[in-house]
Amino acid sequence: PPPAVPAYSGGGHGGPGWGVPLTTDGTPPPKKSGKGGLIAAALVAALLAGGIGGGVGYQLARNNGTANGSTTVSAGDTPRDLKREPGSIAGLAAKALPSVVTIKAQAGDGEGGTGTGFVYDQQGHILTNNHVVASAANGGKLSATFSNGKEYEAEVVGRAQGYDVAVLKLKNPPAGLAPLALADSDKVAVGDTTIAIGAPFGLSNTVTTGIVSAKHRPVASGDGSGGKNSYMSALQTDASINPGNSGGPLLDGRGAVIGINSAIQSAGNGGFGGGQAGSIGLGFAIPINQAKNVADQLIKTGKPVYPVLLVSVDLQAKVDGAKISDGGASANDLVDPNGPAGKAGLRPGDVITEFGGKPIDSGPTLISEIWTYKPGDTVKLTYVRGGKPTTVDITLASRVGDK
């Protein structure tokens, strides 16, 4: 019999900062196992058995205690009943899965990881995250396995660490590649349906669903040092994504790509798959409009191009905005007098509070917003000096390659 008072395990978990890369191995303390869930289930089962038992006993008595054979109820199994509509989740997943690949990256020392990518064009280019392939980019091995199990060798065409975007090329691409259709991520609305496809914890061809939870979410993912972070003005989704989903497509309700799954907020509680943190319903994707601009540049030149203000931003400043550094170097090093910001009159110590009509609350937020534009774009910028706000037009300069 179940205990009078079921015993439940409890406890809370703290978590790291925003933007944990999906393929980053964590080693949090293992979660203590408990029997609370099992005991609760046993209790429910006992109650159900008690309720059913009376009916069964009555039927046996009515049949003079004889009960031979069994009766089952089958769902209809005609082709008409089993048909999935093309616009259903099952239909959209069936169409997209053949164009999604599981990427295996192996460094020269044998260390490696698993991520996801998808067919970008008919020439055999695969779009994914930089952090999925970075370990194998120099002298390592890369392969892409399709949903039918066929594996192809791949090589890096170009990668952008700052954007966290990379393009691969299949060395011997199969005929009939079907690129995934790309949506206009600027037109995405909060509440829209999302479908995420990837290989969480190495489980290839996994499909999960959710909605767009937020737009323009500033996310910095990386090693936390600030110098090697990737920045994005992300689409936030509650579709379940986990380590291994990195680089996979985030689809809309039509099956078109609206983003590249790139980072998660983690509660740091470990779990299935080697102690790595898992989904708590806070996933972040690079909007496909930005990723497409980066991918096209990488395919064309092999190098990323970044829009820049040519200022040094204090990423640790505790102010309501993005503060231009005012120490540690000369004024000309902190604000290039011939750069976009210098020409517009900005100085060390100024605090940028708005960029392109969007509020700026920190240095990472400013970088995330700048990188949604292209070099040569003119954008309105508001900064505060001595308590007085000033708005100017800034024409963004360019920087080729990662630092």
Side-chain angles (χ1 to χ4, degrees):
V5 181
Y8 294 91
S9 61
H13 300 281
W18 291 101
V20 179
L22 298 187
T23 57
T24 298
D25 291 331
T27 55
K31 185 179 179 180
K32 295 182 179 179
S33 61
K35 297 182 179 179
L38 293 175
I39 293 172
L43 176 60
V44 172
L47 293 175
L48 289 176
I52 294 171
V56 173
Y58 172 80
Q59 186 64 28
L60 287 174
R62 183 179 179 183
N63 292 334
N64 297 321
T66 62
N68 298 321
S70 64
T71 302
T72 61
V73 178
S74 298
D77 58 358
T78 64
R80 179 180 178 182
D81 292 329
L82 294 176
K83 180 180 179 181
R84 271 77 175 182
E85 296 297 328
S88 67
I89 298 297
L92 295 173
K95 183 179 180 181
L97 276 168
S99 300
V100 180
V101 298
T102 298
I103 296 172
K104 294 180 181 178
Q106 186 175 16
D109 59 4
E111 294 294 325
T114 301
T116 307
F118 60 92
V119 177
Y120 185 67
D121 57 27
Q122 294 180 328
Q123 287 68 45
H125 290 110
I126 303 294
L127 191 56
T128 186
N129 282 139
N130 172 66
H131 74 262
V132 169
V133 303
S135 62
N138 299 310
K141 295 181 180 179
L142 287 166
S143 67
T145 303
F146 284 80
S147 60
N148 60 8
K150 294 184 177 180
E151 185 175 3
Y152 298 85
E153 291 186 4
E155 59 187 355
V156 175
V157 172
R159 57 195 188 98
Q161 179 269 320
Y163 291 120
D164 200 13
V165 172
V167 176
L168 308 182
K169 178 75 179 294
L170 301 178
K171 292 184 178 180
N172 295 294
L177 286 175
L180 290 181
L182 307 182
D184 183 350
S185 55
D186 289 339
K187 296 181 179 179
V188 169
V190 173
D192 281 353
T193 297
T194 58
I195 305 170
I197 303 179
F201 297 112
L203 301 174
S204 302
N205 308 318
T206 295
V207 178
T208 57
T209 63
I211 62 169
V212 175
S213 304
K215 298 173 62 176
H216 306 297
R217 187 72 77 192
V219 174
S221 65
D223 60 6
S225 67
K228 295 183 179 180
N229 282 354
S230 299
Y231 298 90
M232 67 186 94
S233 181
L235 296 175
Q236 180 182 325
T237 180
D238 66 347
S240 180
I241 55 179
N242 290 281
N245 273 107
S246 274
L250 185 68
L251 309 178
D252 62 14
R254 303 168 300 161
V257 181
I258 58 174
I260 302 176
N261 299 317
S262 301
I264 59 172
Q265 166 70 8
S266 172
N269 61 346
F272 177 70
Q276 297 185 55
S279 173
I280 58 171
L282 293 172
F284 305 96
I286 303 168
I288 195 60
N289 287 8
Q290 177 181 352
K292 182 180 185 301
N293 291 337
V294 178
D296 290 345
Q297 187 67 44
L298 292 175
I299 292 172
K300 183 179 179 181
T301 68
K303 296 181 179 180
V305 178
Y306 297 91
V308 291
L309 292 176
L310 293 180
V311 300
S312 176
V313 177
D314 185 351
L315 298 177
Q316 307 300 323
K318 304 298 182 182
V319 297
D320 189 15
K323 181 182 178 181
I324 298 177
S325 301
D326 56 0
S330 67
N332 286 352
D333 289 331
L334 299 174
V335 179
D336 187 335
N338 297 314
K343 290 180 179 179
L346 275 74
R347 303 175 187 170
D350 290 344
V351 178
I352 299 171
T353 58
E354 192 172 298
F355 189 83
K358 295 183 175 63
I360 301 300
D361 58 7
S362 67
T365 299
L366 175 63
I367 298 173
S368 299
E369 287 301 326
I370 291 173
W371 286 357
T372 63
Y373 293 86
K374 296 179 181 179
D377 288 347
T378 299
V379 189
K380 287 192 178 297
L381 178 152
T382 299
Y383 66 93
V384 175
R385 180 189 301 161
K388 179 182 178 182
T390 302
T391 299
V392 295
D393 288 330
I394 296 280
T395 300
L396 298 173
S398 65
R399 188 193 83 210
V400 178
D402 288 300
K403 289 184 177 180

